[in-house]
């Protein structure tokens, strides 16, 4: 059985992430979307908020569950009994870093492989950082995130 983890910060989740989730869920038997807790980034949304946004977005995909994790991804994969890590590649800029992490993880635990999906072209430009940048100026983010999240994102900048 292929049980995979799709890790990330998801701050906030975007259509690019959702596309990755939908495509990955068709490839594997079970997909765990895991929100990284110990991110160095200054987060806009709490872990609990990010988990609930992801749960809402994936509620109709039966083989997807949402978790959060601390510490090393490769240890989380072992704890979850997962044998695959899924990451997205948008551009060459993603590649070097991702390659290094994937190779390190294979040295630490050769039982766990990393699989890369290339971005769907319509989301190649899209990142959580772009969403936050545009939202912080009150710009239109309807092309980037699902409609029900738009008000929640703007609200963060009014707090
Ligand atoms: P991280 O902070 O770990 O990069 P993100 O939440 O930004 O986490 O992204 C999680 C994963 O989703 C990463 O593998 C990233 O490359 C991928 N990803 C993010 N946005 C897109 C997109 N628009 N298209 C394809 N993959 C994406």
């Amino acid at each position: 059985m292929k049980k995979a983890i799709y890790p990330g910060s998801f701050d906030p989740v975007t259509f690019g992430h959702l596309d990755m989730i939908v495509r990955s869920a068709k490839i594997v038997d079970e997909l765990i979307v895991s929100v990284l807790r110990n991110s160095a980034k200054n987060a806009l949304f709490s872990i609990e908020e990010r988990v609930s946004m992801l749960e809402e977005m994936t509620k109709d995909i039966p083989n997807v569950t949402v978790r959060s994790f601390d510490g090393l991804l490769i240890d989380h994969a072992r704890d979850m009994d997962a044998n695959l890590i899924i990451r997205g590649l948008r551009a060459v800029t993603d590649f070097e870093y991702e390659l290094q992490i994937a190779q390190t993880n294979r040295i630490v635990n050769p039982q766990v492989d990393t699989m890369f999906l290339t971005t769907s072209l319509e989301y190649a430009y899209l990142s959580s950082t772009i969403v936050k940048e545009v939202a912080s100026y009150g710009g239109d983010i309807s092309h980037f995130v699902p409609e029900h999240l738009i008000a929640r994102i703007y609200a963060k900048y009014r707090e």
Side-chain angles (χ1 to χ4, degrees):
M1 185 175 104
K2 275 276 164 241
K3 187 172 180 181
I5 295 190
Y6 173 45
S9 307
F10 306 108
D11 185 43
V13 60
T14 69
F15 283 137
H17 295 130
L18 183 62
D19 177 64
M20 287 284 298
I21 293 168
V22 169
R23 288 161 62 202
S24 306
K26 287 182 190 154
I27 297 171
V28 302
D29 300 300
E30 209 180 308
L31 181 69
I32 303 167
V33 181
S34 276
V35 183
L36 178 64
R37 278 186 177 270
N38 58 346
S39 171
K41 293 176 192 167
N42 215 344
L44 186 63
F45 287 95
S46 71
I47 298 293
E48 292 69 27
E49 287 173 315
R50 284 181 259 165
V51 167
S52 84
M53 286 191 277
L54 280 160
E55 280 174 343
E56 170 67 25
M57 270 173 92
T58 58
K59 63 178 190 298
D60 295 327
I61 316 174
N63 61 339
V64 173
T65 51
V66 183
R67 307 289 289 248
S68 63
F69 73 104
D70 262 324
L72 288 179
L73 171 62
I74 198 73
D75 292 340
H76 177 55
R78 181 202 55 215
D79 295 345
M80 293 290 105
D81 226 2
N83 43 24
L84 195 65
I85 292 167
I86 293 176
R87 297 285 291 171
L89 290 177
R90 280 162 292 195
V92 274
T93 42
D94 282 339
F95 179 76
E96 206 165 327
Y97 173 74
E98 294 293 343
L99 181 69
Q100 198 178 8
I101 300 284
Q103 287 174 335
T104 307
N105 283 340
R106 261 190 76 72
I107 298 217
V108 177
N109 186 349
Q111 308 300 321
V112 179
D113 257 311
T114 302
M115 187 172 82
F116 296 102
L117 293 188
T118 52
T119 180
S120 292
L121 270 184
E122 65 262 49
Y123 304 125
Y125 67 93
L126 186 53
S127 68
S128 299
T129 307
I130 289 285
V131 175
K132 286 184 275 198
E133 179 78 9
V134 175
S136 71
Y137 293 105
D140 179 7
I141 53 171
S142 62
H143 295 291
F144 312 149
V145 300
E147 202 180 337
H148 68 275
L149 291 186
I150 294 175
R152 289 181 70 174
I153 295 169
Y154 285 141
K156 285 284 173 187
Y157 290 99
R158 285 196 299 269
E159 276 171 13

